[in-house]
Amino acid sequence: MAKSKFEYVRTFEKEDRCLQNCWIVVRVDGKAFHKFSEIHEFEKPNDVGGLKLMTRSAVNVMCEFRDIVIAFGHSDEYSFVFRKDTSLFNRRGEKLMSLVSSLFSSSYVFYWNEYFKQKKLLYAPSFDARIVLYPTDDNLRDYMSWRQADVHVNNLYNTCFWSLVNKGGLTNSEAEKTLRGTLASQKNEILFQEFNINYNNEPEMFRKGTTLIRKFMKFPNENESRLVICPYYGDIIKNKFWEENIEILLMKSAPAELYKEDIEFYEGKNKISLLK
Amino acid sequence: MAKSKFEYVRTFEKEDRCLQNCWIVVRVDGKAFHKFSEIHEFEKPNDVGGLKLMTRSAVNVMCEFRDIVIAFGHSDEYSFVFRKDTSLFNRRGEKLMSLVSSLFSSSYVFYWNEYFKQKKLLYAPSFDARIVLYPTDDNLRDYMSWRQADVHVNNLYNTCFWSLVNKGGLTNSEAEKTLRGTLASQKNEILFQEFNINYNNEPEMFRKGTTLIRKFMKFPNENESRLVICPYYGDIIKNKFWEENIEILLMKSAPAELYKEDIEFYEGKNKISLLK
Amino acid sequence: MAKSKFEYVRTFEKEDRCLQNCWIVVRVDGKAFHKFSEIHEFEKPNDVGGLKLMTRSAVNVMCEFRDIVIAFGHSDEYSFVFRKDTSLFNRRGEKLMSLVSSLFSSSYVFYWNEYFKQKKLLYAPSFDARIVLYPTDDNLRDYMSWRQADVHVNNLYNTCFWSLVNKGGLTNSEAEKTLRGTLASQKNEILFQEFNINYNNEPEMFRKGTTLIRKFMKFPNENESRLVICPYYGDIIKNKFWEENIEILLMKSAPAELYKEDIEFYEGKNKISLLK
Amino acid sequence: MAKSKFEYVRTFEKEDRCLQNCWIVVRVDGKAFHKFSEIHEFEKPNDVGGLKLMTRSAVNVMCEFRDIVIAFGHSDEYSFVFRKDTSLFNRRGEKLMSLVSSLFSSSYVFYWNEYFKQKKLLYAPSFDARIVLYPTDDNLRDYMSWRQADVHVNNLYNTCFWSLVNKGGLTNSEAEKTLRGTLASQKNEILFQEFNINYNNEPEMFRKGTTLIRKFMKFPNENESRLVICPYYGDIIKNKFWEENIEILLMKSAPAELYKEDIEFYEGKNKISLLK
């Protein structure tokens, strides 16, 4: 096929390979989701359908990209971690980032009806993405911890705020003023004293976000165990999680075949035992 | 809000501002669309619904990002050109690229039913994106010319190929063999001699792709003209188009207010006169 | 030659090609030259030997890199402009930047004795470098103007400051206090009233910096004119300079052969006519 | 000081901070040193003065940049390793790279006379630089091993080549032909059989390159030990070196004060005991 005289413009493209031997994190983040959740009347502070739709979209991304070893999301954001030695798309950052944000976004619309049967999607939402490299396992764990610590801070605040507004009858700005400068302990106290809410009894998914990992599982009536994507709603800051799921960080040199197994999303009752 | 000790991980993020005073092109490209179009039984060589859905998604991107001054698409790709002096997201490449690919992808799913009323979308498609800078107007025009020249080469080939297969009864590999090494003139000859097709009479949208530009238009029963996004199916390689739409390249310093107008997609009968 | 198992570490290197069709500016800047000039007892505010040594080093850089079309320096900095379409080192930024700073620095030491016959160089100085791209001729001219405007501001200040100290008998901090917040016109006034200095009569090299360009020149007793590197001490902000030396910006597509000529540094009496 | 209207050109500069928590390696490499060593009549295959001048220049770089924890050089190249958590120049790659290449180059000229008392430096040499990041200690060690393995391969070849030429009376191209495709063992054999050279008895500096590290040393008649830069000519590929000098890799979090000590270059007789 003859090359046109215009083809020289390709030389303006830039290589952008990610540094070798680093964890590659792609984080997607909803654009203007404050407005999006208002228009679609999401429940406050947490809309279960909305959170599950986020997770369903994230699972779709993990199904497509087998080199993602763990994902973590809450609110309108999700982080995806590609294993250290992935050679997917020759580690080109643009490819990894744009495909994750693209597939996440199209999945969000695609699965909307499964989570909002009565509610029409009014417009196409979008998610920006960024890509960050972490050289060591510790750096990566600190990144994950940072995101989960963020869930805690935000969710405690939001739980208080919306209790004050929805149950306490305050206006938004009154609630904001009430909470300004309060410590975590004071927010816990407000929840308990005024609304009889023990924050620690709130659903883990709200307090800890959703972690997605791959686990081998044996299903009833099946001989072979299968590698499935499982949600986990517990702590990922302490060592326990990483010790019990030691393969996440080790998977860095896992043979490609490992991922050729059928992958499916399993949100079972027995997730705790599974995570053993 | 107290900062966690993990927050240092933010310092691993990288600035990626696009060089000032350059045209910023973001091109999205369907991932594995060969398979996607087969599974969804797209007509070959061109599926009008599929092409219009691409354009509808591109229009959505242009509505959201007012600094896009022109877009061009064909097959499963679309290019978006941000004006030279855009300061959108502080010219951060990751933001521009990921949001374009995200919104394009979610729009594709969102508008699917409008273009395929009888056909169910079977899975969420994805589009990768890349970002390229062009310092001069000439470079930009060459980029646009490159993409349109590509349409010509590909569509002529595909029109021949699918004529040989669908009408000539050849297998795919027989058709491929027949066309291997043929010149454009020979392909035109095959179309004309064997299938009575005058390639130049094929629809312009197939032969030239779709160009989207913004034009002021006066609608019936309205006093003020409005800035709308219009499709154009003609040549954008020659000077004529750029002379007749001189504002595209000049818009580089257009005041933001220009874009505050209501923007809508107009695919009218009078598009020719409009483009005058 | 057998490749060692360690060779994989090369894949950690990063491509860093400069965007095509942009002017490439490399600016070197003396590290801790305040201290350097004190220790070497440079005359204040301007040491002619020091400035000429800077220029001699810059000429050496221009001799080595024929794709540099213009250079400009003052004080302890020098800027080098590679033509827009240079393909030197495949436009790799690291190469261009490090070689310019390296050769400039080694030349500075190498030629020291020619400019400071009685003064021993006490330690090896260093110059950092940065690389900046400018897409248009206007951007480049603004860059050059920025540097020359800087000379004016700094030299006027320094001329005042050192007059107050050296002739006026003020301490450094008294001089600083005297000048704090003064306008250019006030500084001119101080020079004139107190020290009988008409700033505009100060040597051009001090007030305007040194511009290095390449000119064809015919020498006495030679038949062919030769391309030599000439210093120019006049204004490069106004159009005049660029109109009279139109080849500087046009050289961008000059054939390589142009630069094969013997190049030498000419600091002649007839430099004005030359620049015609 | 009033900002000129040209100052906007600064916004075209690009941030280039090195990824956190990675070893930063800057390697300088002589430009056209084949020609340089010929013109300056360097002894072949190794010129002791030339190698020592390289090392003297490298020491100067290490004295200036206290965050360099180890350096390694041979022939016309030298690698400098900045500690993982250096915040020097805010980890800006351009600064680190250009200053290393600049100071190395100016030092090479500055110290020339100390190593070549009878030989005049005929022109200013230059060294390019590149910067590479290594995320883990293993990657860094592999980098160092790569360079030292390179010394072995090159020096064995060169020792053979120049023996054949200088002692064997072959022309350059005859020597090249003789060695083409030979294994290391065959080269050893040629040296031993034809020239009675036991390659392993060649000076370590030639066979292993020069490694520069910082060690605390107690000098005669001094009470306090001092941190000095010491050359080491042994193996750095095996574990032994890294176990005996464990502080090199650990220094990554060393307090800045450690480096405030007087630093000097010590090339003593007792270097072996020193490295204990």
Side-chain angles (χ1 to χ4, degrees):
Chain A
M1 211 170 287
K3 301 209 171 191
S4 77
K5 65 173 169 169
F6 307 117
E7 194 141 8
Y8 80 91
V9 296
R10 295 188 73 170
T11 62
F12 288 64
E13 296 184 10
K14 214 174 163 72
E15 263 279 355
D16 72 326
R17 292 176 56 235
C18 295
L19 182 61
Q20 301 277 3
N21 203 22
C22 289
W23 296 102
I24 301 174
V25 174
V26 175
R27 180 167 81 247
V28 296
D29 203 357
K31 179 163 185 276
F33 254 58
H34 189 75
K35 180 190 141 207
F36 181 86
S37 63
E38 243 176 46
I39 286 178
H40 291 90
E41 298 176 339
F42 277 16
E43 271 179 48
K44 294 295 183 180
N46 290 287
D47 186 287
V48 175
L51 292 175
K52 289 196 164 176
L53 174 54
M54 289 290 289
T55 291
R56 184 66 193 84
S57 305
V59 166
N60 216 30
V61 170
M62 282 183 80
C63 284
E64 180 79 14
F65 301 110
R66 310 288 173 103
D67 278 4
I68 295 173
V69 294
I70 187 170
F72 176 78
H74 70 107
S75 182
D76 61 344
E77 74 165 61
Y78 241 100
S79 296
F80 300 91
V81 181
F82 288 85
R83 62 198 181 88
K84 274 181 110 145
D85 60 354
T86 185
S87 59
L88 191 62
F89 301 115
N90 208 14
R91 296 178 79 85
R92 285 175 52 203
E94 292 192 344
K95 279 271 188 191
L96 296 170
M97 182 170 48
S98 63
L99 281 171
V100 165
S101 78
S102 168
L103 185 56
F104 189 89
S105 307
S106 63
S107 301
Y108 193 92
V109 180
F110 187 79
Y111 293 113
W112 174 270
N113 287 333
E114 289 188 18
Y115 296 88
F116 296 104
K117 291 190 177 63
Q118 312 297 339
K119 213 177 265 182
K120 208 170 145 11
L121 178 63
L122 298 173
Y123 63 86
S126 58
F127 297 83
D128 70 35
R130 77 192 62 207
I131 192 164
V132 197
L133 303 182
Y134 291 105
T136 65
D137 297 356
D138 282 348
N139 292 148
L140 177 67
R141 278 193 53 186
D142 286 346
Y143 173 82
M144 302 300 279
S145 297
W146 175 48
R147 297 325 301 141
Q148 192 170 61
D150 214 46
V151 178
H152 174 70
V153 170
N154 289 333
N155 191 61
L156 177 56
Y157 181 92
N158 290 336
T159 305
C160 270
F161 180 89
W162 290 105
S163 295
L164 290 167
V165 170
N166 291 339
K167 300 174 188 165
L170 269 58
T171 64
N172 283 13
S173 65
E174 286 168 349
E176 208 189 303
K177 206 176 289 175
T178 303
L179 294 175
R180 197 173 296 155
T182 53
L183 302 174
S185 58
Q186 295 171 301
K187 295 196 192 76
N188 274 309
E189 200 59 18
I190 291 172
L191 282 174
F192 192 68
Q193 297 294 348
E194 299 192 26
F195 306 105
N196 200 26
I197 292 172
N198 183 336
Y199 181 71
N200 289 326
N201 293 340
E202 289 290 290
E204 276 202 305
M205 186 171 71
F206 298 169
R207 291 185 295 115
K208 303 285 186 188
T210 302
T211 305
L212 293 172
I213 54 175
R214 300 181 194 276
K215 297 302 281 187
F216 276 104
M217 254 193 81
K218 203 163 164 312
F219 288 80
N221 307 324
E222 291 188 5
N223 286 328
E224 308 252 327
S225 58
R226 282 189 281 141
L227 191 58
V228 295
I229 298 167
C230 302
Y232 167 70
Y233 305 111
D235 176 274
I236 60 171
I237 297 179
K238 299 196 198 81
N239 289 331
K240 191 164 178 287
F241 170 78
W242 300 94
E243 284 162 7
E244 287 180 354
N245 299 281
I246 204 162
E247 74 283 2
I248 296 172
L249 296 181
L250 295 182
M251 246 181 233
K252 60 190 171 190
S253 343
E257 298 90 277
L258 183 64
Y259 301 99
K260 290 224 181 96
E261 304 290 319
D262 219 15
I263 289 184
E264 54 184 85
F265 179 40
Y266 183 76
E267 192 176 351
K269 294 254 162 55
N270 50 345
K271 66 182 178 297
I272 301 306
S273 68
L274 176 88
L275 285 167
K276 270 288 306 149
Chain B
M1 212 169 287
K3 300 209 173 194
S4 78
K5 65 173 169 169
F6 307 118
E7 193 141 7
Y8 80 90
V9 296
R10 294 188 74 168
T11 62
F12 287 64
E13 296 185 10
K14 212 175 164 72
E15 264 277 356
D16 72 327
R17 291 178 56 237
C18 295
L19 182 62
Q20 302 276 4
N21 203 22
C22 289
W23 296 102
I24 301 174
V25 174
V26 176
R27 180 168 81 246
V28 297
D29 203 357
K31 180 163 183 277
F33 253 58
H34 188 76
K35 179 189 143 207
F36 182 86
S37 63
E38 242 175 46
I39 286 178
H40 291 90
E41 299 177 337
F42 276 17
E43 270 179 50
K44 294 294 182 179
N46 290 287
D47 187 288
V48 175
L51 292 175
K52 289 197 163 175
L53 174 54
M54 289 289 291
T55 291
R56 185 66 192 83
S57 305
V59 166
N60 216 30
V61 170
M62 282 183 80
C63 285
E64 179 81 14
F65 301 110
R66 311 287 174 104
D67 278 4
I68 295 173
V69 293
I70 187 169
F72 175 78
H74 70 105
S75 183
D76 61 344
E77 73 165 60
Y78 240 101
S79 296
F80 300 90
V81 181
F82 289 84
R83 62 197 181 87
K84 275 181 108 147
D85 60 354
T86 185
S87 59
L88 191 63
F89 300 116
N90 208 15
R91 295 177 80 85
R92 284 175 53 202
E94 291 192 344
K95 279 271 188 192
L96 295 170
M97 183 169 47
S98 62
L99 281 171
V100 166
S101 77
S102 168
L103 186 55
F104 189 89
S105 306
S106 63
S107 301
Y108 193 93
V109 179
F110 187 78
Y111 292 112
W112 174 271
N113 287 333
E114 288 188 18
Y115 295 87
F116 295 105
K117 293 191 175 61
Q118 311 297 339
K119 214 178 265 181
K120 206 170 143 18
L121 179 62
L122 298 173
Y123 63 86
S126 58
F127 297 83
D128 70 35
R130 76 192 63 207
I131 193 163
V132 197
L133 303 182
Y134 291 106
T136 65
D137 296 358
D138 282 347
N139 292 147
L140 178 66
R141 277 193 54 186
D142 286 346
Y143 172 83
M144 302 300 278
S145 297
W146 175 49
R147 298 324 302 142
Q148 192 171 61
D150 214 47
V151 178
H152 174 70
V153 169
N154 290 332
N155 191 61
L156 178 55
Y157 181 92
N158 290 336
T159 306
C160 270
F161 180 90
W162 290 104
S163 295
L164 290 168
V165 170
N166 291 340
K167 300 174 188 166
L170 269 57
T171 64
N172 283 14
S173 66
E174 285 167 349
E176 204 188 307
K177 207 176 288 175
T178 303
L179 293 175
R180 196 172 297 155
T182 53
L183 302 174
S185 58
Q186 295 171 302
K187 294 196 191 77
N188 274 309
E189 201 59 19
I190 290 173
L191 284 174
F192 192 67
Q193 297 295 349
E194 298 192 25
F195 306 106
N196 200 28
I197 292 172
N198 184 336
Y199 182 71
N200 289 325
N201 293 339
E202 290 290 290
E204 276 201 305
M205 186 170 72
F206 299 169
R207 290 186 296 116
K208 303 286 187 188
T210 303
T211 305
L212 294 172
I213 53 176
R214 301 181 195 276
K215 298 301 282 186
F216 276 103
M217 254 192 82
K218 201 164 168 310
F219 288 82
N221 307 323
E222 292 188 4
N223 288 328
E224 308 253 328
S225 58
R226 281 188 280 140
L227 191 59
V228 295
I229 299 167
C230 303
Y232 168 70
Y233 306 111
D235 176 273
I236 59 171
I237 297 180
K238 299 198 196 80
N239 290 331
K240 192 165 177 288
F241 170 78
W242 300 93
E243 283 162 7
E244 287 181 354
N245 299 283
I246 204 162
E247 75 282 4
I248 297 172
L249 297 181
L250 294 182
M251 246 182 233
K252 60 190 171 190
S253 346
E257 298 89 277
L258 184 61
Y259 302 99
K260 290 227 182 95
E261 303 292 317
D262 219 12
I263 289 185
E264 54 184 85
F265 179 41
Y266 183 76
E267 191 176 353
K269 293 253 163 55
N270 52 344
K271 65 182 179 299
I272 303 305
S273 69
L274 176 88
L275 287 166
K276 268 290 303 146
Chain C
M1 212 168 286
K3 301 208 170 192
S4 77
K5 65 173 170 169
F6 307 118
E7 192 141 9
Y8 80 91
V9 297
R10 296 188 73 170
T11 63
F12 288 63
E13 296 184 10
K14 213 174 164 71
E15 264 277 356
D16 71 327
R17 290 176 57 236
C18 294
L19 183 62
Q20 301 276 3
N21 205 22
C22 289
W23 296 102
I24 301 174
V25 175
V26 175
R27 180 168 79 247
V28 297
D29 203 357
K31 181 165 184 274
F33 253 58
H34 188 74
K35 181 188 141 208
F36 181 87
S37 62
E38 244 176 45
I39 287 178
H40 291 89
E41 298 176 339
F42 277 17
E43 272 179 48
K44 294 295 183 181
N46 291 286
D47 186 287
V48 175
L51 293 175
K52 288 196 165 178
L53 174 55
M54 288 290 290
T55 291
R56 185 65 193 86
S57 305
V59 167
N60 216 29
V61 170
M62 281 183 81
C63 285
E64 178 81 13
F65 301 110
R66 311 286 174 105
D67 279 4
I68 296 173
V69 294
I70 188 171
F72 176 79
H74 68 107
S75 180
D76 62 344
E77 74 166 60
Y78 241 100
S79 297
F80 300 91
V81 182
F82 289 85
R83 62 195 180 89
K84 275 182 109 145
D85 60 356
T86 184
S87 59
L88 191 62
F89 301 116
N90 208 15
R91 295 178 78 85
R92 285 175 53 202
E94 291 192 344
K95 280 270 188 191
L96 296 170
M97 182 170 48
S98 62
L99 280 172
V100 166
S101 77
S102 167
L103 185 55
F104 189 90
S105 307
S106 62
S107 301
Y108 193 93
V109 180
F110 186 79
Y111 294 111
W112 175 270
N113 287 333
E114 289 189 18
Y115 295 88
F116 296 104
K117 290 190 177 62
Q118 311 298 339
K119 213 178 265 181
K120 207 170 144 15
L121 178 62
L122 299 173
Y123 62 88
S126 58
F127 297 83
D128 71 33
R130 74 193 63 207
I131 192 164
V132 197
L133 303 182
Y134 291 106
T136 66
D137 296 356
D138 283 347
N139 292 147
L140 178 66
R141 279 193 51 188
D142 286 346
Y143 172 82
M144 302 300 280
S145 298
W146 175 49
R147 297 325 301 143
Q148 193 171 59
D150 214 47
V151 179
H152 174 70
V153 170
N154 290 333
N155 192 61
L156 177 55
Y157 181 92
N158 290 337
T159 306
C160 270
F161 180 90
W162 290 103
S163 296
L164 291 167
V165 171
N166 291 339
K167 302 174 187 166
L170 269 57
T171 64
N172 283 13
S173 65
E174 285 168 348
E176 204 188 307
K177 207 177 286 174
T178 303
L179 293 175
R180 197 173 296 154
T182 53
L183 300 174
S185 57
Q186 296 172 300
K187 295 197 191 75
N188 274 308
E189 201 58 20
I190 290 172
L191 283 173
F192 192 69
Q193 298 294 346
E194 300 193 24
F195 306 105
N196 200 27
I197 293 172
N198 183 338
Y199 182 71
N200 289 325
N201 294 340
E202 290 291 290
E204 276 203 303
M205 187 171 72
F206 299 170
R207 290 186 295 116
K208 303 286 186 188
T210 303
T211 305
L212 294 172
I213 54 175
R214 300 181 195 275
K215 298 301 282 186
F216 276 104
M217 254 192 82
K218 203 165 164 311
F219 288 81
N221 307 324
E222 292 187 3
N223 288 326
E224 309 253 326
S225 59
R226 280 188 282 140
L227 192 59
V228 296
I229 299 168
C230 303
Y232 168 69
Y233 306 110
D235 176 273
I236 60 170
I237 297 181
K238 300 198 197 79
N239 289 331
K240 191 163 178 287
F241 170 78
W242 300 93
E243 284 162 6
E244 287 180 352
N245 299 282
I246 204 163
E247 74 283 2
I248 296 172
L249 297 181
L250 294 181
M251 246 181 234
K252 61 189 170 190
S253 344
E257 298 89 277
L258 183 62
Y259 301 101
K260 290 224 180 95
E261 304 291 319
D262 219 14
I263 290 184
E264 54 183 85
F265 180 41
Y266 183 75
E267 191 174 353
K269 293 252 162 53
N270 51 345
K271 66 183 180 296
I272 303 306
S273 69
L274 176 91
L275 286 166
K276 274 289 306 149
Chain D
M1 213 169 286
K3 302 210 173 193
S4 77
K5 65 173 168 169
F6 307 118
E7 193 141 6
Y8 80 90
V9 296
R10 295 188 73 169
T11 63
F12 288 64
E13 296 184 9
K14 215 175 161 70
E15 265 275 357
D16 71 327
R17 291 177 55 237
C18 294
L19 182 63
Q20 302 275 5
N21 204 20
C22 289
W23 296 101
I24 300 174
V25 174
V26 175
R27 180 168 79 247
V28 296
D29 202 357
K31 180 163 184 277
F33 253 59
H34 187 76
K35 181 189 140 207
F36 182 86
S37 62
E38 244 175 45
I39 287 178
H40 291 90
E41 298 176 338
F42 277 17
E43 271 179 49
K44 293 295 183 180
N46 291 286
D47 186 286
V48 174
L51 292 175
K52 289 197 165 177
L53 174 55
M54 288 290 291
T55 291
R56 185 65 193 84
S57 306
V59 167
N60 216 28
V61 170
M62 282 184 80
C63 285
E64 179 80 15
F65 301 110
R66 311 288 174 105
D67 278 5
I68 296 173
V69 294
I70 186 170
F72 176 79
H74 69 107
S75 182
D76 62 344
E77 72 165 62
Y78 240 101
S79 297
F80 300 90
V81 181
F82 288 85
R83 61 197 181 88
K84 275 181 108 149
D85 59 356
T86 184
S87 59
L88 190 62
F89 301 116
N90 208 16
R91 295 178 79 85
R92 285 176 54 202
E94 290 192 345
K95 280 272 189 191
L96 296 170
M97 183 169 46
S98 62
L99 281 171
V100 166
S101 77
S102 168
L103 185 56
F104 189 90
S105 306
S106 62
S107 302
Y108 192 93
V109 180
F110 187 80
Y111 292 112
W112 175 270
N113 287 333
E114 290 189 17
Y115 296 87
F116 296 104
K117 291 189 176 62
Q118 312 297 339
K119 214 178 266 182
K120 206 171 143 21
L121 179 62
L122 299 173
Y123 62 88
S126 58
F127 297 82
D128 71 35
R130 74 193 64 209
I131 192 164
V132 197
L133 304 181
Y134 291 106
T136 65
D137 297 356
D138 282 347
N139 292 148
L140 177 66
R141 279 194 51 186
D142 286 346
Y143 172 82
M144 302 300 278
S145 297
W146 175 49
R147 297 325 301 142
Q148 192 170 60
D150 214 47
V151 178
H152 174 70
V153 169
N154 290 332
N155 191 61
L156 177 55
Y157 181 92
N158 290 336
T159 305
C160 270
F161 180 90
W162 290 104
S163 295
L164 289 168
V165 170
N166 291 340
K167 301 176 189 164
L170 269 55
T171 65
N172 283 13
S173 65
E174 285 167 349
E176 204 188 308
K177 207 177 287 175
T178 303
L179 293 175
R180 196 173 297 153
T182 53
L183 302 174
S185 58
Q186 295 171 301
K187 295 196 192 76
N188 274 309
E189 200 60 17
I190 290 171
L191 284 173
F192 193 67
Q193 297 294 348
E194 301 192 24
F195 306 105
N196 200 26
I197 292 172
N198 184 337
Y199 181 71
N200 289 326
N201 293 340
E202 290 291 290
E204 275 201 306
M205 185 171 72
F206 298 170
R207 290 186 296 116
K208 304 285 186 188
T210 303
T211 304
L212 294 172
I213 54 175
R214 301 183 194 275
K215 298 301 283 186
F216 275 103
M217 255 192 83
K218 203 165 165 308
F219 288 81
N221 307 324
E222 292 188 4
N223 287 327
E224 308 254 326
S225 58
R226 281 187 282 140
L227 191 59
V228 294
I229 299 168
C230 303
Y232 168 70
Y233 305 111
D235 176 274
I236 61 171
I237 298 180
K238 299 199 197 79
N239 289 330
K240 191 166 178 288
F241 170 78
W242 300 93
E243 284 163 7
E244 286 181 354
N245 300 282
I246 204 161
E247 74 283 2
I248 296 173
L249 297 180
L250 294 182
M251 248 181 232
K252 59 191 171 190
S253 347
E257 298 89 278
L258 183 62
Y259 302 100
K260 290 224 182 97
E261 303 291 319
D262 219 14
I263 289 184
E264 53 183 84
F265 181 40
Y266 182 76
E267 192 175 353
K269 291 253 164 54
N270 52 344
K271 67 182 178 297
I272 302 306
S273 68
L274 175 90
L275 286 167
K276 269 293 301 153

